[in-house]
């Protein structure tokens, strides 16, 4: 008998409140979203509490493979998948366990996002790779952060019985996309299946504007896929680097029109990716100079300083008004073209009181537990498309994660999220 991995021992399926009764004809499947922490991103300064052993790849590899193999999710969405180890370990390991997969990554990064699915339940019929770099623009603004996403269309049914070439095998530059598994078949619009989206949005805490641009890019790819396959339901997974009180979460999940508070709007104001030069006021006006400003006693030097400051203030007002307009354009766009999503863990606080917080309603206190603790990871789905969330996997007890992750039980600084869906 195979031992249960320590990371899985105290986790159990929790029935979601409000789930409808289960018809006998219902088909079900499980899905996982997991940021597995790229080894090349590990720095001692980021995890000062961690033992040396818990940061080594050998232990982390074994813990990750053991945990994911134990859950046996029908679909897995992984973030921070290191390209080298995908080739050497993950693709081969999960192919032996009956999975097909796709990995997509940016050429400038050492990691990417992967979608894996059980060959006995699904086969791929289409995919869209989303490269959020200078080749893409949103509202006529070029994206700068080089994050990626992957949107796949998975049809119910075993790929083993299909006997035709994959029509999408050459749709993505092989330099960026890696396949693993057997060929898949084409499918006509309206056939039952799941559009599975996976992404890892920009990490910087103050980059809410950039993440909103990226959300719009991902939603556009999801919408394109669902328009092509209208009978397919949507599930959107990932590390969104967005907390439940953030504007990005509200704009994804709230009924339209969404009302954002002042704090959320302020956080959405764009931040430059390059530090701006210091103000020209390196030699500010002194108190004595201020008392003569605008009078006949004002010196030429003071006049020059005053006029320069006034011009900077006027420019700052112009820039602020422009940035507010940019934010409003994105806020309107994301609502105009997209119905709200729903988070599988959006009522988790009602299922597990130890994860309840007043900071944000419904979602768990954290999915990331490091020097900073909070909720950044989600499994979203679009209601009214034939899917019903049946259960979610409980999160580990906080005592097991203190003082932070990774440790010698949990391989990543994030925890794996799992949900069970039912559909007719």
């Amino acid at each position: 008998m195979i031992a249960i991995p320590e990371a899985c021992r105290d986790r159990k399926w929790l029935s979601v409140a409000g789930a409808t009764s289960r018809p006998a004809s219902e088909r079900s499947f499980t899905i996982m979203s997991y940021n597995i922490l790229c080894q090349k991103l590990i720095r001692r300064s980021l995890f000062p509490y961690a033992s040396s052993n818990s940061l080594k790849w050998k232990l982390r590899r074994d813990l990750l493979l053991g945990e994911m193999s134990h859950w046996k999710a029908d679909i897995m969405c992984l973030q921070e998948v290191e390209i080298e180890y995908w080739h050497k370990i993950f693709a081969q390991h999960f192919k032996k366990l009956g999975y097909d997969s796709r990995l997509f990554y940016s050429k400038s990064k050492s990691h990417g996002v992967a979608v894996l699915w059980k060959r006995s339940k699904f086969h791929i019929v289409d995919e869209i790779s989303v490269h959020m770099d200078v080749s893409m623009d949103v509202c006529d603004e070029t994206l700068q952060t080089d994050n990626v996403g992957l949107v796949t269309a998975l049809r119910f049914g075993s790929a083993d019985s299909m006997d035709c070439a994959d029509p999408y095998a050459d749709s993505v530059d092989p330099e960026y996309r890696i396949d693993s598994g057997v060929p898949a078949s084409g499918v006509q619009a309206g056939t039952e299946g799941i559009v599975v989206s996976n992404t890892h949005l920009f990490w910087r805490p103050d980059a809410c504007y950039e993440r909103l641009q990226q959300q719009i890019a991902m939603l556009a790819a999801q919408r394109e896929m669902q328009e092509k396959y209208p009978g397919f339901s949507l599930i959107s997974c990932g590390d969104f680097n967005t907390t439940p009180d953030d504007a990005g979460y509200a704009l994804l999940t709230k009924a339209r029109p969404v009302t954002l508070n002042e704090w959320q709007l302020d956080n959405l104001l764009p931040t430059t990716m390059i530090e701006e030069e210091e103000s020209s006021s390196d030699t500010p006006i002194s108190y004595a100079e201020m008392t003569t400003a605008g009078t006949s006693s004002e010196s030429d030097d003071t006049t020059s300083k005053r006029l320069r400051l006034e011009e900077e203030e006027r420019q700052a007002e112009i820039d602020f008004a422009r940035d507010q307009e940019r934010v409003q354009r994105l806020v309107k766009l994301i609502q105009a073209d997209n119905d709200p999503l729903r988070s599988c863990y959006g009522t988790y606080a009602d299922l597990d009181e130890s994860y309840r917080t007043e900071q944000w309603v419904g979602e768990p206190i954290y999915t990331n537990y490091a020097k900073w603790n909070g909720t950044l990871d989600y499994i979203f789905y679009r209601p009214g498309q034939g899917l019903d969330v049946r259960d979610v996997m409980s999160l580990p007890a906080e005592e097991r994660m203190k003082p932070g992750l990774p440790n010698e039980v949990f391989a990543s600084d994030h925890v794996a999220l799992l949900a069970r869906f039912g559909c007719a």
Side-chain angles (χ1 to χ4, degrees):
M1 181 176 179
I2 300 175
I4 298 175
E6 284 295 321
C8 307
R9 282 191 179 275
D10 69 341
R11 304 189 67 181
K12 58 185 179 182
W13 287 107
L14 302 175
S15 295
V16 174
T20 59
S21 59
R22 309 184 184 200
S25 60
E26 178 182 83
R27 59 163 55 121
S28 66
F29 63 93
T30 56
I31 187 166
M32 168 192 286
S33 183
Y34 196 6
N35 180 328
I36 63 174
L37 181 58
C38 174
Q39 187 68 22
K40 288 185 178 178
L41 298 183
I42 291 178
R43 302 289 184 272
R44 168 55 66 184
S45 60
L46 296 176
F47 310 106
Y49 48 79
S51 69
S52 296
N53 193 43
S54 65
L55 298 181
K56 292 179 180 177
W57 174 242
K58 184 178 185 302
L59 175 65
R60 295 190 58 245
R61 174 201 64 196
D62 293 344
L63 292 176
L64 287 169
L65 292 177
E67 182 181 5
M68 291 188 285
S69 300
H70 172 77
W71 293 128
K72 298 184 178 73
D74 298 313
I75 302 171
M76 291 190 284
C77 292
L78 308 180
Q79 304 90 41
E80 289 195 24
V81 180
E82 192 161 331
I83 300 162
E84 177 185 359
Y85 295 134
W86 173 263
H87 286 292
K88 293 180 178 179
I89 299 169
F90 290 108
Q92 298 176 38
H93 176 86
F94 286 106
K95 186 174 182 179
K96 291 177 181 177
L97 295 182
Y99 287 87
D100 288 346
S101 56
R102 293 288 194 266
L103 172 75
F104 182 64
Y105 61 95
S106 164
K107 196 174 182 180
S108 69
K109 296 182 184 289
S110 59
H111 58 90
V113 297
V115 178
L116 304 90
W117 59 93
K118 282 185 179 176
R119 192 162 52 245
S120 60
K121 283 201 170 185
F122 299 97
H123 63 278
I124 191 168
V125 296
D126 208 343
E127 65 187 276
I128 299 174
S129 301
V130 185
H131 201 165
M132 293 172 274
D133 65 353
V134 293
S135 67
M136 174 177 286
D137 66 79
V138 173
C139 284
D140 300 321
E141 293 186 35
T142 302
L143 302 189
Q144 301 287 339
T145 60
D146 218 14
N147 291 77
V148 298
L150 181 61
V151 180
T152 59
L154 303 180
R155 185 188 181 189
F156 285 109
S158 169
D160 294 328
S161 61
M162 310 310 294
D163 186 25
C164 53
D166 183 350
Y168 305 102
D170 299 320
S171 62
V172 180
D173 188 337
E175 187 174 15
Y176 299 96
R177 205 276 320 276
I178 303 172
D179 300 342
S180 172
V182 300
S185 114
V187 61
Q188 298 300 316
T191 307
E192 254 185 7
I194 309 295
V195 170
V196 178
S197 175
N198 185 21
T199 192
H200 186 189
L201 302 186
F202 190 44
W203 67 271
R204 247 177 54 176
D206 61 350
C208 296
Y209 183 83
E210 288 77 12
R211 280 191 291 275
L212 186 56
Q213 289 179 308
Q214 294 175 345
Q215 286 181 0
I216 290 172
M218 289 303 302
L219 287 166
Q222 295 164 13
R223 190 169 58 252
E224 178 183 343
M225 190 70 86
Q226 284 202 289
E227 288 173 353
K228 192 172 182 181
Y229 303 94
F232 283 42
S233 305
L234 173 67
I235 301 178
S236 178
C237 297
D239 177 354
F240 289 77
N241 273 311
T242 300
T243 56
D245 55 353
D246 186 80
Y249 180 91
L251 291 167
L252 280 179
T253 62
K254 303 300 182 185
R256 279 61 171 122
V258 178
T259 300
L260 300 177
N261 60 42
E262 184 176 352
W263 177 82
Q264 290 172 321
L265 287 170
D266 285 347
N267 282 347
L268 274 179
L269 290 172
T271 57
T272 179
M273 303 304 298
I274 302 174
E275 293 296 329
E276 295 181 1
E277 294 182 5
E278 289 293 324
S279 166
S280 59
S281 308
D282 292 333
T283 54
I285 296 178
S286 67
Y287 177 77
E289 290 172 321
M290 289 176 61
T291 61
T292 64
T295 71
S296 59
S297 301
E298 183 179 53
S299 67
D300 290 344
D301 183 54
T302 301
T303 301
S304 176
K305 291 180 182 179
R306 176 174 58 81
L307 293 176
R308 188 166 60 244
L309 282 172
E310 290 174 353
E311 176 57 30
E312 288 177 358
E313 289 175 358
R314 282 194 293 269
Q315 187 59 49
E317 290 176 357
I318 293 171
D319 291 344
F320 181 65
R322 179 202 60 200
D323 288 347
Q324 285 183 313
E325 182 180 348
R326 292 166 66 192
V327 167
Q328 288 302 325
R329 283 170 48 189
L330 294 187
V331 168
K332 290 179 181 178
L333 178 61
I334 195 171
Q335 295 183 75
D337 295 336
N338 304 283
D339 293 330
L341 301 175
R342 184 175 296 167
S343 169
C344 291
Y345 279 77
T347 60
Y348 187 78
D350 297 329
L351 308 178
D352 183 350
E353 291 188 0
S354 67
Y355 271 73
R356 186 171 296 171
T357 175
E358 295 181 359
Q359 186 175 1
W360 39 72
V361 178
E363 294 286 352
I365 302 172
Y366 46 74
T367 61
N368 170 258
Y369 204 93
K371 287 200 296 184
W372 177 90
N373 304 331
T375 295
L376 301 174
D377 308 270
Y378 304 93
I379 301 176
F380 293 114
Y381 70 103
R382 182 156 286 135
Q385 295 187 345
L387 289 182
D388 190 19
V389 182
R390 295 304 187 184
D391 312 282
V392 295
M393 183 62 65
S394 67
L395 298 177
E398 185 174 8
E399 291 73 23
R400 302 191 68 202
M401 295 186 280
K402 290 180 177 180
L405 302 180
N407 59 26
E408 301 200 16
V409 172
F410 299 94
S412 176
D413 54 337
H414 293 250
V415 296
L417 303 183
L418 291 102
R420 179 181 287 122
F421 283 92
C423 59

